[in-house]
Amino acid sequence: TTMCTYVDDCKLEADRRRRETVWKCIRLMFESDDPMEIMAFLGVKCEGPLIRGPSYKMYFHQSEYIDNMLEDYRQMHKRDPRPCTTVGQAGSPPDTTNTEKRSGGTTVRSTLGSSSYAVRGTRPDGCFSTNRLGRYVDKWDPDWCPKELHHLMGYFRETIGYQLVMANYGDA
């Protein structure tokens, strides 16, 4: 029997004799030796598994992390984002070819950093807007950029309960 474990995009293979050594290392790194008991890792919450016969589903979300991100946004920007169901606003981004270099500031960078972490974890739906705003951090347009950032935070507020689902449907 072979055990394969993926850790940060690296594949670790072990035969039966080395498997025990690998599990000892994993047990030292985590409080639990059973991956089913791990409920959160780096802000990502895990719920499940929901087992039905040979199939199962596990749910991953960052609702607590996103709630904290929205609270930080409220405190830094002194505004509460209005809930919305679409990512990004309708307008097109500004033409920055003749725009003077103007920074979005540390509060913008902090908000975009938090948003980047969320979209890399369980919220790939916000990736395009987050990356598009990141391109304008050093050429911050005071008309378009704050509206786009506010809209993105409103989208996260409206969709805070979204989850990623990992499913195995048995031998189907």
Side-chain angles (χ1 to χ4, degrees), residues 51-88:
I51 301 172
R52 289 194 179 118
S55 63
Y56 68 88
K57 289 183 180 179
M58 294 186 76
Y59 302 90
F60 300 92
H61 65 88
Q62 290 175 291
S63 56
E64 188 176 313
Y65 176 82
I66 290 173
D67 191 42
N68 290 336
M69 176 180 72
L70 291 170
E71 183 58 36
D72 290 345
Y73 177 82
R74 287 182 198 103
Q75 290 178 2
M76 287 189 284
H77 298 273
K78 309 294 186 227
R79 328 175 42 177
D80 195 23
R82 186 180 75 235
C84 57
T85 57
T86 58
V87 178

Side-chain angles (χ1 to χ4, degrees), residues 134-150:
R135 291 191 295 250
Y136 294 97
V137 168
D138 289 328
K139 291 188 176 186
W140 196 253
D141 180 271
D143 296 324
W144 181 81
C145 293
K147 291 177 188 173
E148 183 74 9
L149 182 63
H150 190 69

Side-chain angles (χ1 to χ4, degrees), residues 18-168:
R18 293 186 182 151
R19 181 173 46 202
E20 291 304 314
T21 305
V22 171
W23 273 112
K24 284 180 186 176
C25 292
I26 291 173
R27 286 182 187 114
L28 289 173
M29 292 170 28
F30 299 102
E31 289 182 16
S32 172
D33 64 345
D34 183 359
M36 297 301 182
E37 292 179 12
I38 297 173
M39 301 307 290
F41 186 72
L42 296 175
V44 177
K45 301 277 183 169
C46 174
E47 294 177 5
L50 176 62
I51 301 172
R52 289 194 179 118
S55 63
Y56 68 88
K57 289 183 180 179
M58 294 186 76
Y59 302 90
F60 300 92
H61 65 88
Q62 290 175 291
S63 56
E64 188 176 313
Y65 176 82
I66 290 173
D67 191 42
N68 290 336
M69 176 180 72
L70 291 170
E71 183 58 36
D72 290 345
Y73 177 82
R74 287 182 198 103
Q75 290 178 2
M76 287 189 284
H77 298 273
K78 309 294 186 227
R79 328 175 42 177
D80 195 23
R82 186 180 75 235
C84 57
T85 57
T86 58
V87 178
Q89 59 183 339
S92 59
D95 180 18
T96 59
T97 54
N98 296 323
T99 306
E100 65 184 59
K101 191 169 183 168
R102 181 180 1 201
S103 176
T106 56
T107 58
V108 169
R109 291 175 190 274
S110 176
T111 302
L112 284 176
S114 297
S115 176
S116 293
Y117 181 74
V119 301
R120 285 187 183 102
T122 62
R123 299 302 306 273
D125 50 333
C127 190
F128 178 77
S129 291
T130 299
N131 290 337
R132 182 167 66 167
L133 271 168
R135 291 191 295 250
Y136 294 97
V137 168
D138 289 328
K139 291 188 176 186
W140 196 253
D141 180 271
D143 296 324
W144 181 81
C145 293
K147 291 177 188 173
E148 183 74 9
L149 182 63
H150 190 69
H151 194 92
L152 177 63
M153 293 299 112
Y155 176 75
F156 280 131
R157 179 179 173 193
E158 178 67 20
T159 61
I160 196 166
Y162 279 19
Q163 302 177 12
L164 283 181
V165 179
M166 182 180 77
N168 178 357

